[in-house]
Every structure is written in structure tokens, then in C-alpha cells.
Amino acid sequence: GDLNLVLQSYKVSWTDSEPARAILTPKDEGVLRILTQIELEITGHPPQVQTIRMTEPDGDVVIIELMNRRTDVVIPAKAFLLP
């Protein structure tokens, strides 16, 4: 993605551990009403996002685990056609 755009919209902090974590805190008050933090857990070589944690203002957390990741896979154009 566009790092400058991310930095305009989020305060970003980073932990250089294993796994590494990028923590994004929205700057916009409207976004903060629905989402207080996004945490990206990054592992592997080359680094890839493994887990996405989104924290809501009431403390609820949505966790997305990325599994069976593959890179450089050709996806045919017809896969994006609407039925």
C-alpha cells in the first residue's frame, strides 16, 4: 500500500520482535467511533501478514487469521466477473 496515505490516516507504531507487530491507531474521530486499533502480526521471510486484529471501542476484537497464503499466483480475469 501507500505508506504516506497510511501515515496521514493512522498513528503507526512497530515492535521489532518475532512476530513483528504494526499497530495502527486511526487519527479520524469518525473512524475511532467504530475502530480504535488495527494490529498486524507479521512473520516469515519474506515478511507477510499472518494475523489482523481489529479492536472496537467497546473492547470487542475481530481476529482474521491468514492461512495457506500463496504469492505470485495468477488469477484469471474471469474470476472477477459478476454472475
Side-chain angles (χ1 to χ4, degrees):
D2 184 337
L3 180 59
N4 289 326
L5 185 58
V6 170
L7 294 174
Q8 287 175 13
S9 302
Y10 296 90
K11 176 186 170 204
V12 179
S13 60
W14 181 265
T15 63
D16 194 20
S17 57
E18 184 57 42
R21 285 180 168 59
I23 300 169
L24 292 77
T25 304
K27 292 180 179 179
D28 181 86
E29 291 297 322
V31 176
L32 280 168
R33 283 190 289 252
I34 58 170
L35 187 65
T36 58
Q37 179 176 288
I38 301 169
E39 180 180 329
L40 305 175
E41 183 176 289
I42 302 161
T43 61
H45 299 284
Q48 294 183 355
V49 175
Q50 173 76 34
T51 305
I52 303 166
R53 286 184 183 83
M54 298 179 289
T55 304
E56 299 173 1
D58 63 2
D60 285 352
V61 177
V62 175
I63 300 173
I64 300 170
E65 298 259 347
L66 303 175
M67 304 169 132
N68 301 321
R69 297 170 292 171
R70 296 185 293 162
T71 57
D72 300 324
V73 175
V74 176
I75 302 172
K78 68 180 182 177
F80 298 98
L81 296 176
L82 296 174

